[in-house]
Amino acid sequence: MPSRPPAQPVVARADTEAEQLFYTIMMQPVEDPYPLYHQLRDAAPALLTGDGTLVLSRHADCNAALRDRSLGKGDEWLKLQLKDVSKDDLRGVMELMQRSMILTNPPDHTRLRRIVASAFTGRHVEALRDGVTRRVDGLLDRLAARPGADLMTELAMPLPVSTIGDLLGIPEADRADLVPVIHELGLLMEPASGPAEINRGVAAQTHLASYLGGLIAEKRQRPQDDLLSRLANTSADALDETEVIATALLLFGAGNTPTANLIGNGLDALLRFPEQRLRLTEDPALLPSAVEEMLRFDSPSQFDVFTVLEPHSFAGAELRPGQGVMMMLGAANHDPERFDDPDAFDVARKENGHLSFAAGIHHCLGAHLARLQAEVVFGRLLARFPKLEPAAPAVRHPGLGNRGFDSIPINLAG
């Protein structure tokens, strides 16, 4: 990668036109948001909105904010809902999620993460490769037998449910019914969700929390060799009952949708850039870099948001506790100050420092597991079906919190 001069510091400022562009991006997700991100970054790379939120769209600033210990988790998800939705419903959701590591700060975050982190280390995850490969081959057999079948519902969604289900100890007979519930849960993460979508998300969380609570009670009585049994039988001094359910809910939800969207977004990129697909097919050693490029090029999550925990100066703005700081990860991953030709999809891209798994203490716990599943899927898919082709137009899910596809009909030609 050619050396570049350090990114020039920017100073946060208000900009009415840039703020309107920001709200358009968040409220009206489009098929291709990346040109809009370029406009936002060019107009106001550190934007102060009317409600005091600091919006960052450069890679250097997003990376710094993600690692800044003066920023952390609070009630930012309540503020993020931009439509007129019931704050009481959202507070009920938040009360549970704020007991999991995704919305806690040290020392609670450190304690909660330490309890489950060993299950997601690179060495432990690598031991799952053979089992994941067998599942992928079985799912591909079914897809190949049904020309025009949907890759999302037949492979991208069921694979991570099975993988995280095996780790947690979710009964296999229950998993298929839980897939649509997980999909509904993701509506809570979308700023553009209205009251109807929020109510569906709340119902999904209630259903999953009840289901997991019952399963945890069973595993407390009859423990097995799985992560839910370990959580269920952790001492109450280390983990209380609400934290057990909140952690299980987080691991099951976060272990599914982002990986499914990584697979769907990655396939979409390979279909759109056939020369890159051919390059990867001919050189499978590029699989690790290809997966990193899929994550950078079309990230499954396009933003993260923190709350200011203590008085702090960032990008020239004097921030006070309670203010929100939003990192536009999709924009950062296409920042020309960080990446050569950022809008090009290059499976051999080197030094791919994307922010799709965030950074700092809230770096995604399941990053190794998501990468492994994507490597296996694309390695087996291209080795067996190098002439795959779309069977009908794909249907993208309209969202930025979970950016992906509802369906990708595909023919697996031999």
Side-chain angles (χ1 to χ4, degrees):
M1 178 179 177
S3 61
R4 293 189 181 86
Q8 295 300 309
V10 298
V11 177
R13 63 186 180 86
D15 184 307
T16 303
E17 291 186 7
E19 182 172 357
Q20 182 58 51
L21 175 59
F22 163 68
Y23 284 119
T24 297
I25 291 170
M26 300 302 292
M27 295 286 289
Q28 301 172 23
V30 296
E31 181 77 16
D32 181 6
Y34 299 102
L36 299 180
Y37 291 149
H38 287 308
Q39 293 178 37
L40 178 64
R41 190 175 49 247
D42 290 345
L47 170 69
L48 273 174
T49 67
D51 67 1
T53 299
L54 177 63
V55 180
L56 305 171
S57 49
R58 295 197 321 168
H59 185 282
D61 298 323
C62 290
N63 188 38
L66 288 165
R67 300 173 188 276
D68 194 322
R69 298 297 288 271
S70 296
L71 310 176
K73 293 299 180 176
D75 64 351
E76 61 274 0
W77 286 105
L78 285 175
K79 300 172 184 173
L80 188 60
Q81 297 299 329
L82 303 179
K83 289 190 176 179
D84 185 18
V85 299
S86 168
K87 298 302 181 185
D88 289 337
D89 286 343
L90 288 173
R91 285 190 182 90
V93 169
M94 291 288 293
E95 286 174 4
L96 182 60
M97 294 307 294
Q98 284 178 321
R99 302 298 298 280
S100 73
M101 71 189 81
I102 194 173
L103 291 181
T104 54
N105 302 304
D108 286 334
H109 176 272
T110 308
R111 171 178 57 86
L112 293 168
R113 188 169 177 121
R114 184 185 298 124
I115 289 170
V116 297
S118 63
F120 296 92
T121 62
R123 180 178 60 82
H124 190 97
V125 167
E126 185 59 34
L128 304 175
R129 186 178 292 271
D130 288 346
V132 171
T133 300
R134 286 192 295 272
R135 286 194 181 276
V136 169
D137 282 342
L139 293 168
L140 288 175
D141 287 343
R142 290 169 50 185
L143 265 174
R146 298 175 53 211
D150 177 22
L151 176 123
M152 295 303 298
T153 57
E154 298 291 337
L155 190 154
M157 293 178 183
L159 175 64
V161 169
S162 294
T163 303
I164 196 69
D166 287 346
L167 273 177
L168 290 173
I170 305 292
E172 192 147 4
D174 296 346
R175 296 174 188 176
D177 290 340
L178 294 174
V179 172
V181 183
I182 295 166
H183 185 75
E184 296 281 273
L185 185 66
L187 294 171
L188 295 172
M189 302 295 105
E190 295 295 352
S193 287
E197 291 84 8
I198 291 297
N199 287 337
R200 286 158 53 195
V202 170
Q205 189 204 54
T206 302
H207 176 83
L208 277 175
S210 175
Y211 169 80
L212 290 169
L215 189 56
I216 287 164
E218 292 178 16
K219 290 181 181 291
R220 191 165 283 131
Q221 297 299 317
R222 293 180 294 278
Q224 299 174 315
D225 184 18
D226 56 52
L227 192 49
L228 278 187
S229 293
R230 191 200 308 177
L231 289 171
N233 292 283
T234 300
S235 73
D237 292 338
L239 207 64
D240 67 32
E241 184 69 12
T242 301
E243 289 173 333
V244 170
I245 295 174
T247 300
L249 182 64
L250 170 65
L251 294 176
F252 192 49
N256 278 290
T257 303
T259 301
N261 288 339
L262 165 58
I263 294 169
N265 293 352
L267 177 63
D268 176 66
L270 291 176
L271 292 173
R272 288 165 52 197
F273 301 96
E275 74 288 351
Q276 294 297 313
R277 186 172 84 234
L278 177 62
R279 188 178 184 186
L280 182 57
T281 302
E282 293 178 343
D283 186 1
L286 291 174
L287 273 168
S289 65
V291 170
E292 298 306 311
E293 180 69 343
M294 293 169 185
L295 286 160
R296 182 201 70 83
F297 184 74
D298 203 11
S299 173
S301 182
Q302 296 280 302
F303 64 87
D304 201 350
V305 59
F306 281 178
T307 291
V308 179
L309 302 179
E310 58 189 52
H312 183 50
S313 178
F314 193 97
E318 296 303 319
L319 302 176
R320 61 187 185 279
Q323 275 183 265
V325 177
M326 178 172 286
M327 291 73 70
M328 303 298 288
L329 305 182
N333 286 342
H334 282 245
D335 184 351
E337 289 189 354
R338 177 61 180 82
F339 301 100
D340 290 322
D341 199 5
D343 295 326
F345 179 68
D346 179 3
V347 296
R349 187 183 292 273
K350 301 187 187 317
E351 300 182 38
N352 196 336
H354 63 76
L355 298 176
S356 298
F357 288 129
I361 65 170
H362 286 283
H363 181 268
C364 177
L365 183 67
H368 289 307
L369 190 58
R371 286 180 168 114
L372 180 135
Q373 291 176 88
E375 284 185 22
V376 172
V377 165
F378 291 109
R380 301 301 294 162
L381 180 66
L382 296 179
R384 293 182 58 183
F385 307 104
K387 297 180 181 178
L388 62 94
E389 58 185 23
V395 178
R396 185 175 282 283
H397 170 74
L400 294 178
N402 292 299
R403 178 168 164 82
F405 288 86
D406 288 329
S407 68
I408 305 178
I410 192 167
N411 289 328
L412 299 183

